[in-house]
């Protein structure tokens, strides 16, 4: 079981990478791996360290962190809107049908953010934290390493309807799920990679 979940995680993130890289960008309009090299040179190591400790405490956390990134990117792009709590007129994506009592690992993201704020305040976006944590989780699960383009901006609003309607759900028909993937620029191969092992990791 552990090996199948790890293999699935690796394939999933590689298939999903094109979406993650096309999220809201920084002021200059593009993402690049060296974005924090001057402003927060320890950023990647801090994320990797906290993720490693979290996965060491609970191996399942690797899949959970990857899933957070997946669910974030399927709604409004990879902008960390999933992390926002309900406040005032904002209704959190956390309470959507696809995330309620399902999405987990938020405390690890909070831990990473706290560590980064101590090192370089108000510098690293939560959207980039999610992207780095997803990559590091895959590596810890036995998958390959790769450079993560950085420089995403965080959203200030969430979309409950987007979360309910855009993220593939277990009760969706095959055609509905395929349509949702196609709307994100993904094909049947991507669908199989991201959904094919649903019984092992409750990924979608």
């Amino acid at each position: 079981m552990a090996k199948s979940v790890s293999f699935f995680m690796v394939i999933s993130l590689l298939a999903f990478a094109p979406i993650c890289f096309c999220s809201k960008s920084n002021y200059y309009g593009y993402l690049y791996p060296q974005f924090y090299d001057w402003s927060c040179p320890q950023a990647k190591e801090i994320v990797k360290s906290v993720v490693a400790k979290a996965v060491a405490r609970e191996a399942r956390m690797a899949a959970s962190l990857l899933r957070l990134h997946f669910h974030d990117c399927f709604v409004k792009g990879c902008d960390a809107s999933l992390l926002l709590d309900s406040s005032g007129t904002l209704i959190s994506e956390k309470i959507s049908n696809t995330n309620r009592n399902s999405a987990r690992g938020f405390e690890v993201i909070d831990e990473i953010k706290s560590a980064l704020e101590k090192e370089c305040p108000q510098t690293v976006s939560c959207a980039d934290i999610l992207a780095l944590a997803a990559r590091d989780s895959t590596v810890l699960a036995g998958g390959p390493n790769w450079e993560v383009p950085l420089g995403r901006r965080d959203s200030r609003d969430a979309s409950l309807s987007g979360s309910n309607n855009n993220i593939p759900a277990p009760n969706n028909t095959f055609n509905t799920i395929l349509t949702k993937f196609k709307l994100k620029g993904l094909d049947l191969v991507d669908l199989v990679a991201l959904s094919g092992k649903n019984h092992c990791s409750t990924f979608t």
Side-chain angles (χ1 to χ4, degrees):
M1 174 70 76
K3 287 185 178 179
S4 63
V5 172
S6 297
F7 178 71
F8 167 64
M9 288 171 57
V10 172
I11 293 178
S12 298
L13 194 49
L14 289 176
F16 193 53
I19 286 184
C20 300
F21 297 166
C22 296
S23 58
K24 292 185 177 180
S25 58
N26 57 68
Y27 177 80
Y28 298 103
Y30 58 92
L31 308 177
Y32 53 99
Q34 300 80 22
F35 185 78
Y36 298 111
D37 281 6
W38 292 103
S39 60
C40 191
Q42 297 301 314
K44 296 175 187 176
E45 288 303 317
I46 289 172
V47 175
K48 183 185 298 184
S49 175
V50 176
V51 169
K53 291 176 183 176
V55 173
R57 290 193 300 265
E58 181 186 5
R60 178 186 170 204
M61 186 56 66
S64 297
L65 293 174
L66 175 57
R67 187 168 186 259
L68 282 182
H69 188 43
F70 166 52
H71 279 212
D72 178 51
C73 293
F74 248 69
V75 183
K76 299 169 72 275
C78 309
D79 61 0
S81 60
L82 174 59
L83 303 181
L84 296 172
D85 293 321
S86 296
S87 176
T89 59
L90 187 151
I91 302 177
S92 176
E93 294 170 16
K94 294 178 181 178
I95 65 172
S96 70
N97 296 330
T98 50
N99 290 323
R100 186 176 57 249
N101 301 320
S102 174
R104 58 192 298 277
F106 296 106
E107 71 282 0
V108 178
I109 302 302
D110 288 341
E111 187 179 349
I112 295 169
K113 182 64 173 175
S114 178
L116 286 170
E117 285 300 303
K118 291 178 181 178
E119 179 71 19
C120 36
Q122 301 180 356
T123 301
V124 182
S125 70
C126 291
D128 281 340
I129 291 173
L130 283 171
L132 287 168
R135 186 275 306 276
D136 293 340
S137 295
T138 300
V139 172
L140 288 169
N145 196 357
W146 67 93
E147 288 189 311
V148 177
L150 301 168
R152 296 166 183 81
R153 292 177 294 174
D154 291 338
S155 176
R156 294 187 177 183
D157 57 31
S159 176
L160 179 62
S161 61
S163 187
N164 279 325
N165 297 322
N166 297 348
I167 299 172
N171 62 344
N172 285 158
T173 65
F174 172 78
N175 285 335
T176 297
I177 294 174
L178 182 58
T179 298
K180 289 180 177 181
F181 272 72
K182 285 183 175 179
L183 288 173
K184 298 301 179 182
L186 300 174
D187 59 19
L188 182 59
V189 175
D190 301 315
L191 186 157
V192 172
L194 284 163
S195 304
K197 294 286 186 177
N198 186 44
H199 66 284
C200 289
S201 66
T202 328
F203 195 78
T204 56

